[in-house]
Amino acid sequence: MSKWHFNKSLIEEAINTGQSFLLSPNLSKQDRLEITSDIKRFKLFLDGNFDNYIRRRRQNMPYLKNNIISGMKNLEKILSPRLRRWLIDLAQDQIFTIDSETPIFTMSLDEAAKTTLKNYKMNAPAMYNFAKTILEPKQGIIQEAVLNTSSYCFYSDILQLPFIVVDPLDDAGCLNHELEHGIEYLMGTRPHFFYSEFGPIFFELLFCDESYKKYGKSSLAMHITRIKETEDYLNVLAVYFCAMKIFSLRNYDVSEQFFLETFEYFSNVENDNLIDFLNDEFVNSQIIESITYVLSFLKAIQVRELANNGGNQSGASFNDIVFSKKFKFKIPDSNYQLYEKYIEEIKQKMR
C-alpha cells in the first residue's frame, strides 16, 4: 500500500468540525455553502472517491449569450485593447506550435517529492519548510490515486489545510504544481486571479529543468505538454477576443443570430456543435481559466529567464506577482523574442 494517503482520522475530524460549524446561527450563507461542500468532499474521500468533479450547467440561448456578453464587458475593464490584440497576434504567429511527440513523463511520488524539495531548497528557501511540512507523509494530506480527472489541490477552511490528490499517471511535475498551490494557501498570498497559476507553473518549469539534468530529454515531455496546452488556449482566446472586438463596436447590443454567426465565422464551428463549443470554451468561468493559464505561463517563462540569469531579480519579480492583488502585464519590449527563445531551447534539447 502506498504511504501517500489521507489520514482517515484527520478527514473524520474535518467532517465533525464542519458539522459543528453548521450549528452556528451566525454563519453567513456563503460560509454555510462552502462548509457543506467541503463536508461532502471529505465524505467522498472516506468512500475512496478522490476525483475532482466540477459540475457545469449547460446553457442555451439566450442565457448563453447573456453570460458571454456579460463576461466580455467585465474583461474589457481589465484587459487593455492593446493586450487583447497582442494575444490575438501571439496566437496567429503560432510560436507555441511544436511538433515533438513524447510520452508523458512520470516518476514515483517518492522521487517527485525528493526533486520537489530540492527545487525549493535551491530556488525558494523561504518556502522550503512549508514544502517539507506538506510533503511529510505523517501529515496525511497527500493522496495518491488514479483519477478520471486530473491532479488537484483542495483547500478547506474547516481545518485551514490544503489537501492534495496526485494521479501517478499525470506528468511528474504535477506534484510540485499542486504543492505550490498548497504553499500559497498557507502563506496567505493573494495574487490577481489571472496569476493564480503563475507560482505553480513557475515551480513546475523549474522542476522540469531539474529533472532534465538527471533524466534527459524524456523529461521534456512536461515542458512540451505545457507548450501545447498554451497553443490550444491561445487559439480559443483569439476567437473570443476577435468576437469581443466586433460586439464592442456595437456596444454589445447584438441579436442572437449575429452573436452566433460571429462566433461561427471566427471559430469555423457550425450548427449544433457551436452551442457545445461556446459552453465548453466561452462561458465566463471557462474563458477566465484560459486567460489565467496563458498569462500565468507567459509570466512564468519571463521569471524563469531571470532565474537562469542569476541574481535577485527573479525572486523580486516572483514576489511582486504572487503577493500583489493588482493585475499588471507589461508586453515585453522584445515582443515575442523571449518566448521564442524558450521554445527554441526546448526544441534544441529534444534533438
Side-chain angles (χ1 to χ4, degrees):
M1 180 179 177
S2 171
K3 69 180 181 183
W4 300 100
H5 56 82
F6 288 148
N7 182 328
K8 182 180 177 182
S9 297
L10 187 65
I11 301 299
E12 291 172 341
E13 177 188 344
I15 293 171
N16 293 333
T17 302
Q19 289 172 337
S20 67
F21 286 164
L22 292 177
L23 297 176
S24 172
N26 299 320
L27 204 62
S28 70
K29 182 178 180 181
Q30 182 61 35
D31 286 343
R32 190 172 296 278
L33 286 172
E34 290 178 358
I35 291 171
T36 301
S37 176
D38 288 359
I39 290 173
K40 288 180 180 178
R41 188 189 291 264
F42 283 128
K43 287 182 177 179
L44 288 173
F45 287 168
L46 288 180
D47 290 338
N49 185 344
F50 302 104
D51 280 306
N52 186 34
Y53 292 114
I54 300 175
R55 293 183 180 180
R56 294 190 174 99
R57 184 178 298 174
R58 186 181 185 277
Q59 300 183 29
N60 290 310
M61 303 294 277
Y63 304 104
L64 180 59
K65 174 197 157 192
N66 293 340
N67 178 289
I68 293 173
I69 291 293
S70 176
M72 287 179 169
K73 289 179 180 178
N74 290 330
L75 287 173
E76 193 173 45
K77 301 171 186 176
I78 305 173
L79 304 176
S80 69
R82 181 167 179 251
L83 178 55
R84 298 197 301 267
R85 179 70 254 178
W86 184 79
L87 288 170
I88 292 171
D89 292 341
L90 183 60
Q92 293 176 341
D93 283 2
Q94 298 183 322
I95 70 168
F96 285 93
T97 299
I98 188 165
D99 296 329
S100 300
E101 293 290 342
T102 183
I104 288 176
F105 179 73
T106 62
M107 62 173 67
S108 71
L109 210 54
D110 286 348
E111 184 64 20
K114 181 180 177 181
T115 306
T116 295
L117 280 175
K118 183 178 180 180
N119 190 10
Y120 282 106
K121 197 164 191 177
M122 289 191 332
N123 297 298
M127 292 182 169
Y128 175 77
N129 285 335
F130 286 98
K132 189 175 181 181
T133 298
I134 295 173
L135 286 170
E136 173 55 58
K138 291 180 181 178
Q139 287 275 17
I141 56 177
I142 296 180
Q143 175 72 47
E144 183 177 33
V146 176
L147 305 171
N148 292 313
T149 56
S150 59
S151 301
Y152 64 95
C153 178
F154 154 65
Y155 183 80
S156 173
D157 285 322
I158 295 175
L159 296 181
Q160 297 185 338
L161 283 174
F163 291 82
I164 297 173
V165 182
V166 179
D167 188 335
L169 303 180
D170 278 348
D171 280 326
C174 73
L175 173 62
N176 205 149
H177 182 110
E178 303 306 337
L179 183 72
E180 176 60 19
H181 277 303
I183 291 173
E184 290 182 17
Y185 284 137
L186 292 178
M187 292 182 70
T189 65
R190 292 293 183 269
H192 190 277
F193 53 82
F194 282 153
Y195 290 141
S196 59
E197 292 293 335
F198 160 73
I201 291 176
F202 174 65
F203 279 103
E204 169 193 308
L205 295 182
L206 297 183
F207 177 97
C208 298
D209 292 339
E210 185 61 31
S211 298
Y212 177 74
K213 297 175 185 177
K214 182 175 181 179
Y215 297 100
K217 69 179 184 179
S218 63
S219 67
L220 294 173
M222 295 181 281
H223 280 289
I224 291 170
T225 297
R226 183 63 63 194
I227 292 168
K228 289 185 174 182
E229 286 181 351
T230 300
E231 180 185 29
D232 292 339
Y233 282 132
L234 281 169
N235 289 336
V236 166
L237 293 185
V239 172
Y240 183 84
F241 289 138
C242 284
M244 183 175 172
K245 175 65 175 177
I246 299 299
F247 299 154
S248 67
L249 293 174
R250 296 179 176 229
N251 200 29
Y252 296 103
D253 185 13
V254 296
S255 66
E256 290 184 14
Q257 180 179 351
F258 184 80
F259 174 85
L260 293 172
E261 287 176 349
T262 301
F263 272 115
E264 182 177 323
Y265 174 79
F266 287 117
S267 68
N268 291 318
V269 178
E270 300 177 347
N271 304 325
D272 295 340
N273 293 329
L274 183 59
I275 295 296
D276 290 335
F277 177 69
L278 295 177
N279 270 285
D280 290 341
E281 305 293 353
F282 298 131
V283 295
N284 201 31
S285 59
Q286 293 300 95
I287 199 64
I288 291 295
E289 180 177 300
S290 298
I291 295 170
T292 296
Y293 273 95
V294 167
L295 294 181
S296 292
F297 184 41
L298 295 179
K299 275 291 184 183
I301 292 173
Q302 292 178 21
V303 180
R304 173 182 179 268
E305 177 72 7
L306 293 175
N308 288 342
N309 291 336
N312 298 322
Q313 277 189 296
S314 62
S317 295
F318 178 89
N319 291 339
D320 187 49
I321 297 167
V322 171
F323 291 94
S324 174
K325 293 182 180 180
K326 294 181 179 180
F327 173 67
K328 297 177 290 184
F329 188 93
K330 183 180 181 295
I331 295 173
D333 294 333
S334 60
N335 204 22
Y336 305 145
Q337 185 177 341
L338 179 64
Y339 312 121
E340 290 172 326
K341 179 184 177 183
Y342 164 72
I343 300 294
E344 186 57 31
E345 174 196 339
I346 303 305
K347 287 181 177 178
Q348 288 290 338
K349 287 178 176 177
M350 283 299 298
R351 290 171 185 163

